[in-house]
Amino acid sequence: DAKTTQPTSMDCAEGRAANLPCNHSTISGNEYVYWYRQIHSQGPQYIIHGLKNNETNEMASLIITEDRKSSTLILPHATLRDTAVYYCIVKGVNRDDKIIFGKGTRLHILP
Amino acid sequence: DAGVTQSPTHLIKTRGQQVTLRCSPKSGHDTVSWYQQALGQGPQFIFQYYEEEERQRGNFPDRFSGHQFPNYSSELNVNALLLGDSALYLCASSLWWAETSPLHFGNGTRLTVT
């Protein structure tokens, strides 16, 4: 079962920052937080991952709370192409740890 | 740099038939994982292959089997197809020795069982 809780859906105005929350209150010390997104009719796309420090790349920023029980994915300037289902996943570093998808958040970017 | 490629993109089969789906991993990757995604659901893990061996398996019956070839490409086979096997089948590749290596997905094969 997925170890994360995400809102079912969210709306965001085009050009604004989209902030997607994720709760992972049972996260273990060696588990990373991963974010993927899936645009309609495509495979999931990796966005970013982190352990405890905030991370930023060309796609997004990941903010992880100090207690690591929740995180927020930030898309700084959302565009219509960011409309997708966003999955927050926790995964350990052991090789038998798998990427387990939940139902994700359906993000609608509004023009 | 070629990403993950899957073939065919779409497939229609009849109940009871067998199907083989194919996947070529991203260049440089050595591990292949397969997922099944039913409509409106998140992807469900089927199994993972490394060094031509099945390393992990999800909660799927033995009708689902796979193979990995020396060039790291992989096949997913499903026997005795059921209507419930209709789904998007996703292949993902990664690096075995990089513990935090993210998965890179293909765009999937849409299987319809009638």
Side-chain angles (χ1 to χ4, degrees):
Chain A
D1 291 340
K3 302 178 184 179
T4 62
T5 304
Q6 299 178 253
T8 303
S9 67
M10 294 181 61
D11 292 338
C12 178
E14 189 177 17
R16 304 296 294 269
N19 296 278
L20 292 93
C22 180
N23 287 319
H24 30 80
S25 59
T26 61
I27 193 169
S28 301
N30 70 344
E31 290 182 319
Y32 282 70
V33 179
Y34 288 77
W35 283 84
Y36 288 78
R37 73 179 181 184
Q38 189 171 23
I39 295 168
H40 183 61
S41 298
Q42 297 182 19
Q45 177 190 24
Y46 165 76
I47 302 173
I48 198 167
H49 73 283
L51 182 63
K52 56 183 178 180
N53 298 319
N54 297 338
E55 301 288 344
T56 296
N57 64 19
E58 65 279 5
M59 290 183 67
S61 294
L62 173 60
I63 308 299
I64 303 174
T65 58
E66 192 168 347
D67 64 6
R68 303 212 318 124
K69 293 185 176 182
S70 65
S71 60
T72 301
L73 179 74
I74 301 172
L75 308 178
H77 305 286
T79 71
L80 296 177
R81 289 177 296 180
D82 292 321
T83 292
V85 177
Y86 287 76
Y87 296 98
C88 169
I89 297 161
V90 296
K91 176 184 169 302
V93 297
N94 298 321
R95 291 204 179 81
D96 58 359
D97 291 324
K98 302 179 286 291
I99 292 284
I100 304 296
F101 289 83
K103 295 189 175 182
T105 295
R106 186 169 296 277
L107 177 65
H108 300 273
I109 305 301
L110 306 174
Chain B
D1 181 15
V4 178
T5 57
Q6 294 186 243
S7 64
T9 55
H10 295 81
L11 203 51
I12 300 174
K13 290 287 189 177
T14 304
R15 270 181 304 175
Q17 286 187 317
Q18 178 264 345
V19 69
T20 298
L21 310 181
R22 295 176 175 82
C23 171
S24 292
K26 177 181 167 66
S27 178
H29 283 184
D30 56 12
T31 303
V32 172
S33 301
W34 287 91
Y35 286 78
Q36 179 196 66
Q37 187 173 25
L39 207 58
Q41 303 296 315
Q44 301 295 307
F45 175 77
I46 303 175
F47 42 53
Q48 178 192 65
Y49 277 84
Y50 170 68
E51 287 191 333
E52 304 177 48
E53 290 186 13
E54 183 182 292
R55 300 291 177 160
Q56 298 183 69
R57 189 178 184 91
N59 189 25
F60 279 81
D62 292 344
R63 298 187 297 109
F64 289 77
S65 63
H67 189 77
Q68 186 181 32
F69 299 94
N71 67 353
Y72 309 118
S73 67
S74 177
E75 289 182 349
L76 164 65
N77 301 292
V78 187
N79 294 323
L81 284 167
L82 304 174
L83 295 179
D85 295 331
S86 295
L88 180 67
Y89 288 85
L90 294 161
C91 171
S93 70
S94 58
L95 285 166
W96 179 258
W97 293 105
E99 290 89 352
T100 62
S101 169
L103 296 177
H104 290 255
F105 284 84
N107 284 329
T109 293
R110 172 73 61 187
L111 173 64
T112 302
V113 182
T114 63

